């Protein structure tokens, strides 16, 4: 892949040829979580900190992260953004279904982006975009040119900036939370 300096004074690198120049810190790498089992707890804790909604025990988040880590090139799978110190700064998963959605909400669509999270201090630095683009590449290589995500609030704008298209808005049956379902159209 060809890289160019993106113009930020910090020296981040960018990849030309996508919707916009994608900038990501040059000291962040994206790899499969299954190849970095030592980061399972860190990723689980990141997800717990983001979505605990008052839950005191991070154990279920760590257990789910372990189940979603992957087994080679099969779903579910998770990619992790790793900094130069070897710490997890973000993660994103791909699964056949999003467990928060009912069968009617899934509407036969697959696969789904799940568990997307970036450590607060690493946001707005291109880490999330790099995670999504890397996962899109993996999904396409597995025969899934289109992927789906269910999200809300400011995350909708993030996905739009990454080239995703809103498909529908609904209130989830499981939680009652207002949610936007977005799709990433195939490249080309």
């Amino acid at each position: 892949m060809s890289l160019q300096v993106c113009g930020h004074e910090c020296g981040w690198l960018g990849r030309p040829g996508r919707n916009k120049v994608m900038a990501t810190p040059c000291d962040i790498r994206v790899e499969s979580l299954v190849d970095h089992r030592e980061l399972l707890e860190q990723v689980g804790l990141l997800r717990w900190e983001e979505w605990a909604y008052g839950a005191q025990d991070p154990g279920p988040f760590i257990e789910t992260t372990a189940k979603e880590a992957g087994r080679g090139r099969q779903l579910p799978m998770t990619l992790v953004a790793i900094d130069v110190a070897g710490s997890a700064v973000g993660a994103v998963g791909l699964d056949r279904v999003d467990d928060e959605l009912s069968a009617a909400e899934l509407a036969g669509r697959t696969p789904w982006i799940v568990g997307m999270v970036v450590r607060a201090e690493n946001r707005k630095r291109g880490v999330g975009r790099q995670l999504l683009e890397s996962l899109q590449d993996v999904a396409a290589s597995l025969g899934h040119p289109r992927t789906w995500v269910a999200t809300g609030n400011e995350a909708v704008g993030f996905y739009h900036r990454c080239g995703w298209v809103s498909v529908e808005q609904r209130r989830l049956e499981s939680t009652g939370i207002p949610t936007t379902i977005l799709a990433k159209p195939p490249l080309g």
Side-chain angles (χ1 to χ4, degrees):
M1 146 186 3
S2 82
L3 294 172
Q4 66 183 28
V5 176
C6 73
H8 289 94
E9 50 187 55
C10 62
W12 290 351
L13 299 176
R15 205 169 46 171
R18 300 275 175 129
N19 293 338
K20 296 181 181 175
V21 172
M22 182 270 313
T24 189
C26 59
D27 59 348
I28 301 290
R29 66 187 195 279
V30 174
E31 298 186 15
S32 177
L33 184 56
V34 74
D35 295 331
H36 293 277
R37 312 269 315 156
E38 74 279 5
L39 298 176
L40 285 172
E41 184 173 344
Q42 286 184 38
V43 172
L45 289 172
L46 274 174
R47 290 173 170 173
W48 173 70
E49 291 165 359
E50 187 72 20
W51 304 303
Y53 303 118
Q56 299 299 308
D57 180 13
F61 288 86
I62 296 168
E63 290 169 18
T64 298
T65 296
K67 290 177 191 170
E68 294 175 351
R71 291 176 303 282
R73 296 184 50 80
Q74 300 176 34
L75 301 182
M77 67 171 32
T78 299
L79 297 181
V80 59
I82 306 168
D83 67 12
V84 71
S87 297
V89 296
V92 63
L94 185 68
D95 204 345
R96 287 177 198 81
V97 298
D98 180 331
D99 291 337
E100 295 291 318
L101 304 177
S102 70
E105 292 165 334
L106 290 169
R109 300 174 283 214
T110 193
W112 290 82
I113 301 295
V114 295
M116 173 70 169
V117 65
V118 174
R119 188 177 306 282
E121 61 268 23
N122 293 95
R123 292 180 185 165
K124 302 196 186 295
R125 295 182 55 208
V127 175
R129 181 181 294 270
Q130 178 62 36
L131 282 164
L132 281 179
E133 289 185 359
S134 295
L135 198 64
Q136 284 299 127
D137 291 344
V138 170
S141 77
L142 295 173
H144 302 288
R146 180 183 308 264
T147 53
W148 304 88
V149 68
T151 194
N153 299 324
E154 66 206 39
V156 173
F158 165 73
Y159 283 98
H160 284 159
R161 289 188 300 279
C162 291
W164 291 64
V165 178
S166 294
V167 175
E168 65 179 287
Q169 294 182 342
R170 61 184 321 138
R171 191 169 293 277
L172 290 184
E173 293 175 20
S174 63
T175 63
I177 295 174
T179 300
T180 302
I181 295 179
L182 300 102
K184 176 67 173 185
L187 293 174

